[in-house]
Amino acid sequence: MLKNKQKKRQNDNYRQQQDPQKPEEQGILRSYLDNVSRIKVELGNSTDLVFREFTICQHKGTVVYIDGLADEKLICDFFIESLSDEELDSRQEPFQVMADKAVGLGSFQIATEWNQVFDSILSGNTIFFLDGYNKAINVETKGWEMRAITEPSTQLSIRGPKDAFTETLRVNTALIRRRIKSPNLWLETMKIGMVSQTDIAIMYIKGVANEKIVKEVKERLKRINMDAIQSSGHIEQLIEDEAWTTFPTTYHSERPDVVTSHILEGRVAIIVDGTPFVITAPAVFIQFFQAPDDYYSRFDISTGIRILRILSFYIAIIGPAIYIAGTTFHQEMIPTTMAIAIAAQRENVPFPAFVEALIMEVTFEILREAGLRLPRAVGQAVSIVGALVIGQAAVQAGFVSPVMVIVVSITAIANFSTPSFAMAIAARLIRFFMMGLATMLGFYGVMLGLMFLSIHLCSLRSFGIPYMMPIAPFNFRNQQDVFVRFPIWAMKNRPKFISQGNMIRTGEHQKPGPPTQEDGKAPKGES
């Protein structure tokens, strides 16, 4: 009872000395008990707050940290035990002794304002108050549990590295620094979110990245004024150039090697604490069809596969629309044998081609969404069994024709070949728009839709960079990594429309060849 009254008196004294409505305008008090009371009041006396008292040079003090965010073992082993050392001379200046002890832990600062105290405690650091001093020592002791580095789950690679980003900001920045050991790799951090105070990091290579783009990225991030930022997806929606489009204008990846290659080209990486996906900007259309394995395989193989991906993207957009237009308006363009076979299959189907395609497409989208949301083992079974059973039952019942099942299946498989999930979703949405145009205007509607799509893509910008660069406007010198992937030794320059600094990335005489002889003669056995 007496202890509770004492705590209440301390809290009342604190309220008389400070205005709790404006904590950031008040300085730290000289009484460590009043400081403790203030922290309890401001943080609602949370149960995960830890207070440990100590005595140093006959001066009392307290340690404050949050259980689960700070490394408790580090605090106990390297600091509290040394502070409690009885051999410390009482004539020494106690605050200086604490500062000397803090050097052994690493990074530390002197805090004089309450906003520094609260930011540090909520970030996993430890605050040391000493009675009689209106300042505190802020020691970096972050030590929360984190997920281990695992294999990427969304961007798989056959020959590439098997590590992926995690939800910890410092781990992600370290994964990039392991690959770029250059002093020109600059890292800048900021906090976004009035309530969440989410840590955001910006990484770029000084002298390679365009300074205007770097400045624009910083300005757009600083303009964000929201309560909380939970993931990189929030950042994407708040910094993109055009909101009314289905196409992604920023790129995100969970692979450190992909983000590293983008930074080396002159792009800016945005890393958000708490999410394993890193944003890179600016982004262009062709970038979403470049897979990591393109750069780990021979250029001829990579070129063929990339062209196949782009072809699959257009099949995913206009596949059902072509079928609807051909069977509804342009039967004369179908070979006679095929037209007779299609007509025979659709003889008992009660719906027009558009309704038939719409039923199958919507059904397949439902199955795909259900497969993603269910547990992995169950989801795969539902996707496979559902597609087989429902497709076969729909054909036997006469709701759809077998050729429609084939068209929808080919379209779905073509959609899966797009390396970027964001671009694949855009193709799924545009597909229904193209189906509607084909139903009204036939092949003319399909061509009109492609024209509108091309105009829309050419009108987009990503941080001021044309979205279709270097295709439109066409730039001959930057065609080394578009439809045809040039050999590594031939990709000498960085994309000029992204980088404005050091453009050279490959030295001279990098083309592979047989060993040369100093005397100019061919080796033995060769003529």
Side-chain angles (χ1 to χ4, degrees), residues 245-248 285 289 309-320 361 365 368 411-412 414-418 420-435 453 457 467:
T245 180
T246 60
F247 292 96
F285 178 75
F289 300 95
R309 290 194 206 105
I310 298 173
L311 178 63
S312 299
F313 176 75
Y314 284 100
I315 292 175
I317 289 178
I318 64 176
E361 286 291 346
E365 293 296 334
R368 174 155 46 184
T411 304
N415 187 256
F416 285 134
S417 64
T418 304
S420 173
F421 183 71
M423 185 62 71
I425 292 178
R428 289 160 59 182
L429 295 177
I430 295 171
R431 183 189 310 154
F432 291 97
F433 173 70
M434 301 296 292
M435 289 166 55
L453 186 61
L457 287 172
Y467 193 59

Side-chain angles (χ1 to χ4, degrees), residues 43 48-49 64-71 75 109 114-127 138-146 168-170 189-193 195-200 273:
L43 298 183
D48 58 350
L49 276 171
V64 185
Y65 61 91
I66 292 182
D67 186 20
L69 293 183
D71 189 344
I75 298 170
Q109 295 176 344
W114 278 109
N115 56 354
Q116 298 174 310
V117 172
F118 290 120
D119 288 344
S120 300
I121 293 176
L122 296 174
S123 298
N125 293 344
T126 301
I127 296 294
N138 170 24
V139 183
E140 185 171 350
T141 56
K142 299 174 183 177
W144 54 73
E145 295 294 331
M146 64 185 68
T168 306
L169 179 68
R170 279 293 166 255
T189 59
M190 64 180 69
K191 290 183 181 292
I192 299 179
V195 177
S196 65
Q197 291 290 299
T198 305
D199 291 320
I200 308 291
D273 190 26

Side-chain angles (χ1 to χ4, degrees), residues 243-443:
W244 303 105
T245 180
T246 60
F247 292 96
T249 54
T250 57
Y251 192 91
H252 64 268
S253 175
E254 64 172 341
R255 297 186 60 93
D257 57 330
V258 173
V259 175
T260 299
S261 64
H262 291 174
I263 293 176
L264 290 171
E265 286 184 345
R267 292 181 171 88
V268 181
I270 304 173
I271 309 170
V272 183
D273 190 26
T275 178
F277 289 91
V278 174
I279 305 170
T280 56
V284 293
F285 178 75
I286 196 63
Q287 179 182 348
F288 294 91
F289 300 95
Q290 299 169 349
D293 281 326
D294 289 353
Y295 306 95
Y296 303 135
S297 304
R298 289 180 51 86
F299 69 94
D300 48 357
I301 298 174
S302 302
T303 299
I305 295 177
R306 182 176 297 179
I307 294 175
L308 184 63
R309 290 194 206 105
I310 298 173
L311 178 63
S312 299
F313 176 75
Y314 284 100
I315 292 175
I317 289 178
I318 64 176
I322 295 261
Y323 172 80
I324 293 171
T327 56
T328 305
F329 295 97
H330 309 282
Q331 295 89 348
E332 69 279 0
M333 299 185 66
I334 305 176
T336 305
T337 306
M338 182 181 294
I340 294 173
I342 293 175
Q345 294 176 7
R346 299 196 70 254
E347 183 178 2
N348 297 325
V349 177
F351 306 112
F354 172 72
V355 177
E356 183 185 6
L358 188 63
I359 291 174
M360 289 302 298
E361 286 291 346
V362 172
T363 303
F364 186 82
E365 293 296 334
I366 293 173
L367 285 172
R368 174 155 46 184
E369 191 67 18
L372 290 175
R373 302 292 170 253
L374 289 171
R376 183 171 299 179
V378 180
Q380 293 177 353
V382 169
S383 300
I384 298 173
V385 176
L388 292 174
V389 173
I390 293 177
Q392 183 67 23
V395 171
Q396 291 180 352
F399 289 148
V400 296
S401 60
V403 66
M404 176 53 71
V405 176
I406 295 174
V407 171
V408 172
S409 301
I410 293 175
T411 304
I413 294 173
N415 187 256
F416 285 134
S417 64
T418 304
S420 173
F421 183 71
M423 185 62 71
I425 292 178
R428 289 160 59 182
L429 295 177
I430 295 171
R431 183 189 310 154
F432 291 97
F433 173 70
M434 301 296 292
M435 289 166 55
L437 290 176
T439 304
M440 294 184 291
L441 301 173
F443 282 140

Side-chain angles (χ1 to χ4, degrees), residues 34-90:
D34 290 339
N35 292 330
V36 169
S37 299
R38 174 162 196 160
I39 292 176
K40 289 181 178 179
V41 171
E42 294 294 340
L43 298 183
N45 200 14
S46 302
T47 56
D48 58 350
L49 276 171
V50 179
F51 301 92
R52 290 194 173 186
E53 294 189 356
F54 63 89
T55 301
I56 179 172
C57 300
Q58 298 182 357
H59 282 70
K60 290 187 177 181
T62 186
V63 179
V64 185
Y65 61 91
I66 292 182
D67 186 20
L69 293 183
D71 189 344
E72 189 172 6
K73 187 176 184 301
L74 181 67
I75 298 170
C76 294
D77 292 348
F78 293 95
F79 206 92
I80 294 181
E81 290 184 2
S82 59
L83 289 178
S84 302
D85 192 351
E86 297 179 354
E87 297 181 359
L88 291 176
D89 190 353
S90 60

